[in-house]
Amino acid sequence: MAAAEENSSLFLIFILTMIALPLVPYTITRLCHAATKKAKTIHCRCSGCHRSGKYRKSIYKKISNFSTWSNLTILLLWIVVIFLVYYIKLSSREVQVFEPYSILGLEPGASESEIKKSYRRLSIQYHPDKNPDPEAHTYFVESISKAYQALTDPTSRENYEKYGHPDGRQGFQMGIALPKFLLNMDGASGGIMLLGIVGLCILFPLMIAVIYLSRSSKYTGNYVMHQTLSTYYYFMKPSLAPSKVMDVFIKAAEYMEMPVRRSDDEPLQKLFVAVRSELNLDLKNIRTEQAKFWKQHPSLVKMELLIQAHLTRESFALTPALVKDYRHMLELAPRLLEELVKIALLPRSPNGFGWLRPAIGVVELSQSIIQAVPLSARKAGGGNSEGIAPFLQLPHFTEATVKKIARKKIRAFQELCDMSEVERATLLTQVAGLSEEEARDVELVLEMIPTIEVDIKCETEGEEGIQEGDVVTMYAWVSLQRRSGLTAALPHAPFYPFHREENFWLLLADTVSNEVWLSQKISFMDEATAITAASKAIQDTQEALGASPMEIGVAVREAVDRVKKGSRLVMGKFQAPAEGNHNLTSFCLCDAWIGCDSKTSFKLKVLKRSRAGTRTYVPEEGPVAEDGIEEEEEEEEEEYDDYESEYSEDEEEEKKKGKGKVANGAAHQRASSDIDSGSDD
């Protein structure tokens, strides 16, 4: 019995050891990382963002930030460790050496008469006839009687004096670190144990696998339904206008599954009246257009009205039930828009390129949703080609405010940004009619707006010039600067109720053919990952060129320094087209800010093939569309009554200007809404 209890205690010690070995170093690492992490404010500090409550550090949010799966797992494991230590301490008994002289209260070597005298004295005190206490009875039988026998019996005394135990030499004992019930198992309990092992080791993993496979068959890695990707792929067209992207976006399966209640009819009717001007209805046939709008699928009607309510900032009039749907719609929007961009950039043209026009439209829709700015605000007018949308993302700015500052010849958003702080404060307070606090909010937001600078170079590794059929490598350093000095920051978005990081899309495209040759998503939030990626890319490139270890080390250090200063390296490969001069344009589009996108044009000169052999480059496969879906090409151009994208300029005028063109793909650009920069050939 004692051996079984000892084995059970050893099993608990074994479990405690296996838990503590990884838990202790991992906890120390997490604590050191948390202690060295600098607390830096990377979100907007204007009054609008403060009132939104997204960044307010309440007790509930602190608990929510702590209540991650990793933190809760660590806490649970430490609770288990503490419980095991406490239980082992209570269950394990200290092993005491048998000392008969000490039990009888005698000195070693006492005579037989002294032993008998002490035994009689203790018998009067602990004998069951004299003391009814059960513990006294146990002590008398297991200790006093055994000690007296060991000292009075000649054989037992000889064994004790020789081996330290009345029974003679003791063998070496070993324990098994298994629980007690496994050692004392009979036939019935063995069957139960077998069923438990089968259930835990076979059925439970199988159930987890079935749940995972059923979920993975429905959702992608970005938690977007496969049905949504199929729908987006079917409705994506190369000539899709930016304002028509909304019609494709709201067809997501996640939105179609949202409930449509009868109680929502009246609030949606009122919301329709409030946002009717943003629905692109034909005013000449308004009744027909309204009837056609309401004949759509109820989920489509509901989603479009909720999105327009957000863009026009009319969400305060929603009922509690609609507010819940409204928040869920905004929560899903970023990842749905990201997948919609990827669908637009999916290689589908005869040359294996994506489509530029719909990709730009999706990014512009993302900007409008994050900043809660209506799409109609992008219409060019009043001498401003980009519309008033960039102004409306600033706090306390309205259409009336934009008209007031336009009287002072401030019509472009970049003109407002280029003013000095004193001049801008004077303009906002004396002309626009803002208070000093409101002008200070505008200044805080302008400090957070990023300025993008891009260095692009295209070349064939190890060769001079680019010949048709070569595998061309594009190197692009994208640098970000803010007046606040931050690199990683969260955008100003007081009307978007969730945490949102800013991302950038770098597109290398041919605007004439509407083809995107290369695309890459860029984030400035994780510096460590960017350093690792840039170092590996530079090292692999230098090794391929046969550089010495010293040259490789210098190039890697330079790349790391650029990343730490706020730059990100983007590399991509494409196969050189046919011989000739190809006019390409690089776009760097932000999915959260309006008016900070960057654009430049450069010339890629491809020579006639003279080198032996033709290299081929197989691009990486993009997302695979659902089976049975075929693309329907539209030959005729659509006519649009809505706004045009700020990038849909006439390419013939750009050719006449001849600016921003650089031979063989070397270009340098600085962020500006519509200004192309570069150098001549």
Side-chain angles (χ1 to χ4, degrees), residues 216-278:
S216 61
S217 63
K218 188 176 181 181
Y219 291 91
T220 65
N222 200 20
Y223 298 103
V224 176
M225 298 176 66
H226 287 288
Q227 185 179 352
T228 298
L229 298 185
S230 174
T231 303
Y232 284 171
Y233 184 89
Y234 180 81
F235 287 100
M236 183 62 63
K237 304 300 177 184
S239 59
L240 191 66
S243 62
K244 300 299 180 181
V245 172
M246 174 81 74
D247 299 335
V248 179
F249 170 66
I250 61 177
K251 289 182 173 65
E254 289 85 349
Y255 290 161
M256 299 297 290
E257 290 182 353
M258 294 180 67
V260 179
R261 297 170 290 268
R262 291 186 177 181
S263 58
D264 296 338
D265 292 343
E266 184 177 352
L268 290 178
Q269 290 283 354
K270 295 180 180 179
L271 189 59
F272 173 80
V273 176
V275 302
R276 182 169 49 187
S277 59
E278 298 293 331

Side-chain angles (χ1 to χ4, degrees), residues 53-72:
K54 289 188 294 183
Y55 312 114
R56 195 173 302 156
K57 294 183 178 180
S58 61
I59 297 178
Y60 174 76
K61 287 203 170 183
K62 290 180 180 179
I63 296 175
S64 300
N65 293 334
F66 174 78
S67 301
T68 59
W69 283 110
S70 60
N71 291 340
L72 292 178

Side-chain angles (χ1 to χ4, degrees), residues 381-391 402-403 405-416 419 427:
N384 188 359
S385 59
E386 61 186 9
I388 64 172
F391 292 99
V402 178
K403 292 179 180 179
I405 63 174
R407 299 170 187 170
K408 296 295 182 180
K409 307 301 181 182
I410 304 298
R411 294 185 175 88
F413 183 70
Q414 191 62 39
E415 295 176 355
L416 180 66
M419 298 177 66
L427 175 70

Side-chain angles (χ1 to χ4, degrees), residues 465-480:
I466 299 176
Q467 298 184 6
E468 53 185 1
D470 283 352
V471 177
V472 183
T473 303
M474 181 198 73
Y475 302 89
W477 279 100
V478 182
S479 303
L480 182 145

Side-chain angles (χ1 to χ4, degrees), residues 546-555 557:
S548 64
M550 182 177 296
E551 294 174 342
I552 294 176
V554 172
R557 284 193 295 271

Side-chain angles (χ1 to χ4, degrees), residues 461-536:
E461 295 181 0
E463 302 288 350
E464 292 185 2
I466 299 176
Q467 298 184 6
E468 53 185 1
D470 283 352
V471 177
V472 183
T473 303
M474 181 198 73
Y475 302 89
W477 279 100
V478 182
S479 303
L480 182 145
Q481 294 181 349
R482 308 178 202 267
R483 288 170 48 199
S484 61
L486 297 174
T487 299
L490 302 177
H492 162 77
F495 297 96
Y496 188 77
F498 301 101
H499 178 92
R500 180 73 170 94
E501 297 179 358
E502 60 183 17
N503 297 295
F504 297 84
W505 287 91
L506 183 65
L507 309 179
L508 181 64
D510 185 350
T511 56
V512 177
S513 61
N514 191 35
E515 294 177 340
V516 178
W517 292 22
L518 279 178
S519 62
Q520 181 67 47
K521 181 183 175 183
I522 309 170
S523 175
F524 288 85
M525 300 300 294
D526 192 350
E527 183 180 284
T529 303
I531 290 176
T532 303
S535 301
K536 187 178 185 304

Side-chain angles (χ1 to χ4, degrees), residues 373-663:
V373 173
L375 297 177
S376 61
R378 292 181 177 271
K379 289 183 179 179
N384 188 359
S385 59
E386 61 186 9
I388 64 172
F391 292 99
L392 296 182
Q393 70 184 337
L394 299 177
H396 316 297
F397 260 68
T398 61
E399 294 185 15
T401 308
V402 178
K403 292 179 180 179
K404 290 179 182 179
I405 63 174
R407 299 170 187 170
K408 296 295 182 180
K409 307 301 181 182
I410 304 298
R411 294 185 175 88
F413 183 70
Q414 191 62 39
E415 295 176 355
L416 180 66
C417 296
D418 292 339
M419 298 177 66
S420 65
E421 187 173 347
V422 177
E423 294 175 346
R424 188 162 46 243
T426 303
L427 175 70
L428 296 177
T429 54
Q430 297 183 4
V431 178
L434 302 182
S435 64
E436 293 183 1
E437 294 182 359
E438 293 174 340
R440 177 58 182 166
D441 285 343
V442 174
E443 200 66 35
L444 290 174
V445 174
L446 291 176
E447 290 178 356
M448 300 293 292
I449 294 181
T451 301
I452 301 298
E453 185 177 342
V454 181
D455 294 328
I456 295 182
K457 180 175 65 174
C458 294
E459 61 181 18
T460 303
E461 295 181 0
E463 302 288 350
E464 292 185 2
I466 299 176
Q467 298 184 6
E468 53 185 1
D470 283 352
V471 177
V472 183
T473 303
M474 181 198 73
Y475 302 89
W477 279 100
V478 182
S479 303
L480 182 145
Q481 294 181 349
R482 308 178 202 267
R483 288 170 48 199
S484 61
L486 297 174
T487 299
L490 302 177
H492 162 77
F495 297 96
Y496 188 77
F498 301 101
H499 178 92
R500 180 73 170 94
E501 297 179 358
E502 60 183 17
N503 297 295
F504 297 84
W505 287 91
L506 183 65
L507 309 179
L508 181 64
D510 185 350
T511 56
V512 177
S513 61
N514 191 35
E515 294 177 340
V516 178
W517 292 22
L518 279 178
S519 62
Q520 181 67 47
K521 181 183 175 183
I522 309 170
S523 175
F524 288 85
M525 300 300 294
D526 192 350
E527 183 180 284
T529 303
I531 290 176
T532 303
S535 301
K536 187 178 185 304
I538 295 297
Q539 182 177 355
D540 294 344
T541 303
Q542 293 296 322
E543 289 177 352
L545 296 176
S548 64
M550 182 177 296
E551 294 174 342
I552 294 176
V554 172
V556 170
R557 284 193 295 271
E558 291 178 355
V560 171
D561 291 339
R562 295 191 68 170
V563 172
K564 290 182 178 179
K565 292 179 181 178
S567 299
R568 297 292 183 266
L569 176 62
V570 179
M571 293 181 59
K573 296 179 182 294
F574 61 92
Q575 191 167 5
E579 175 190 4
N581 294 327
H582 300 268
N583 298 318
L584 302 179
T585 305
S586 66
F587 298 86
C588 189
L589 311 176
C590 180
D591 64 357
W593 293 96
I594 303 176
C596 68
D597 300 335
S598 178
K599 172 188 173 184
T600 192
S601 301
F602 64 96
K603 183 181 296 184
L604 182 69
K605 186 176 182 180
V606 180
L607 305 176
K608 187 177 180 180
R609 189 74 194 171
S610 62
R611 293 189 284 267
T614 302
R615 306 171 214 161
T616 59
Y617 171 68
V618 180
E620 297 181 359
E621 295 184 359
V624 180
E626 297 290 334
D627 295 338
I629 296 182
E630 299 179 356
E631 175 188 356
E632 297 181 2
E633 297 290 345
E634 294 184 352
E635 301 295 338
E636 51 183 293
E637 294 293 331
E638 301 179 6
E639 297 181 0
Y640 303 110
D641 299 330
D642 43 26
Y643 79 97
E644 291 292 332
S645 170
E646 56 180 305
Y647 304 108
S648 57
E649 319 176 335
D650 188 4
E651 297 299 330
E652 296 297 330
E653 295 182 1
E654 292 187 0
K655 294 180 181 179
K656 293 179 181 179
K657 294 179 181 178
K659 295 182 180 180
K661 305 293 178 68
V662 181

